[in-house]
Amino acid sequence: MMIKKKTRGQLIVLSGPSGVGKSTVISELLGQRQDIHFSVSFTTRQPRVGEADGVNYHFVDRAEFERMISAGELLEYAEYVGNYYGTSLKVIQEKVAAGTDVLLDIEVQGAAKVRAKCPEAVLIFIIPPSFEELSRRLRGRNTDSEETIAGRLRKAREEYRQIPSYDYLVVNDKVSAAAAEIIAILLAEDCRTRNRLHLVDDI
Ligand code: 5GP
């Protein structure tokens, strides 16, 4: 028997505080679910060492980003710690229409905008086992000043207030376990009746 491919892809939004290990969890997830398309965002922030244009982000200047806002080219955007970040509307529309699931790594303001525009999106928030652990992980990177770390922890506290509006909460204690939970969430979402009506024969 041939299982019919789903007619529309799922929008999957992943948020979580800086230092929670989101990128590592995403790499693990995408390694196991190669059918998921990762949405490469546009940003005005400078590339970090090791980041490549078109891979981690599309790096653009403020004038270009503001042009994209005016032209309605972004599904959502937000200003985060002095820089713009946004998601291309065209790429998302094309992928979802082709039945491909799309993963968005975005912060809480952007997630709220996606929820308002696409109520069926699945919103997942990732937290560390404790705030103490988050602080330890941020210090362990050895790349930021105490002031930057304190700023990130303040921001994390603000972001935590939005947790109740997410559908799922994943604790990143162990990367493989966190990725496994997300895979289970996505499987359950695929089994929702509204996502499976294409499998029901006409009677
Ligand atoms: P970073 O500068 O550390 O790569 O990202 C900072 C924050 O921006 C992260 O929380 C990340 O999830 C978020 N972010 C990345 N891309 C987008 C986007 O397209 N839209 C929004 N709203 N946030 C984004």
Side-chain angles (χ1 to χ4, degrees):
M1 188 189 66
M2 252 265 288
I3 300 275
K4 287 184 225 158
K5 191 173 189 276
K6 56 188 177 185
T7 45
R8 282 182 72 72
Q10 182 84 57
L11 264 191
I12 308 148
V13 171
L14 225 58
S15 304
S18 171
V20 72
K22 223 177 353 160
S23 334
T24 321
V25 173
I26 289 175
S27 301
E28 175 80 21
L29 171 66
L30 297 179
Q32 292 185 46
R33 284 281 317 267
Q34 289 168 11
D35 56 312
I36 296 178
H37 173 81
F38 178 71
S39 161
V40 179
S41 296
F42 286 80
T43 185
T44 58
R45 88 149 158 72
Q46 291 300 308
R48 295 191 186 117
V49 177
E51 285 184 335
D53 189 35
V55 177
N56 306 88
Y57 284 103
H58 299 289
F59 296 98
V60 295
D61 60 20
R62 284 186 87 83
E64 170 60 5
F65 200 100
E66 282 164 3
R67 188 202 60 74
M68 294 176 80
I69 298 173
S70 313
E73 291 177 14
L74 300 173
L75 168 68
E76 63 73 36
Y77 70 92
E79 205 156 358
Y80 182 90
V81 205
N83 287 299
Y84 279 130
Y85 294 83
T87 306
S88 159
L89 177 62
K90 187 161 169 267
V91 174
I92 305 295
Q93 278 175 336
E94 285 172 0
K95 293 290 176 191
V96 168
T100 303
D101 292 342
V102 182
L103 178 66
L104 273 56
D105 167 358
I106 63 177
E107 50 68 68
V108 295
Q109 305 165 68
K113 289 185 198 162
V114 172
R115 167 69 93 213
K117 286 191 183 169
C118 317
E120 290 171 6
V122 186
L123 270 60
I124 306 172
F125 199 94
I126 308 189
I127 55 168
S130 68
F131 232 81
E132 207 181 1
E133 173 62 17
L134 184 66
S135 152
R136 207 180 57 75
R137 288 183 194 177
L138 285 171
R139 288 195 169 83
R141 283 175 171 181
N142 273 332
T143 49
D144 300 312
S145 64
E146 272 304 310
E147 196 188 332
T148 308
I149 293 170
R152 296 225 161 117
L153 289 170
R154 258 198 314 277
K155 187 87 191 161
R157 282 184 204 284
E158 262 172 58
E159 290 168 337
Y160 267 43
R161 289 197 211 110
Q162 304 308 318
I163 290 177
S165 52
Y166 279 72
D167 301 307
Y168 297 96
L169 187 62
V170 168
V171 180
N172 182 24
D173 192 3
K174 204 162 158 260
V175 172
S176 56
E181 284 194 356
I182 296 173
I183 286 169
I185 291 166
L186 300 182
L187 179 59
E189 286 291 325
D190 268 347
C191 298
R192 274 190 193 277
T193 305
R194 69 162 186 250
N195 294 334
R196 289 228 145 150
L197 286 174
H198 63 289
L199 301 178
V200 182
D201 291 328
D202 289 335
I203 48 166

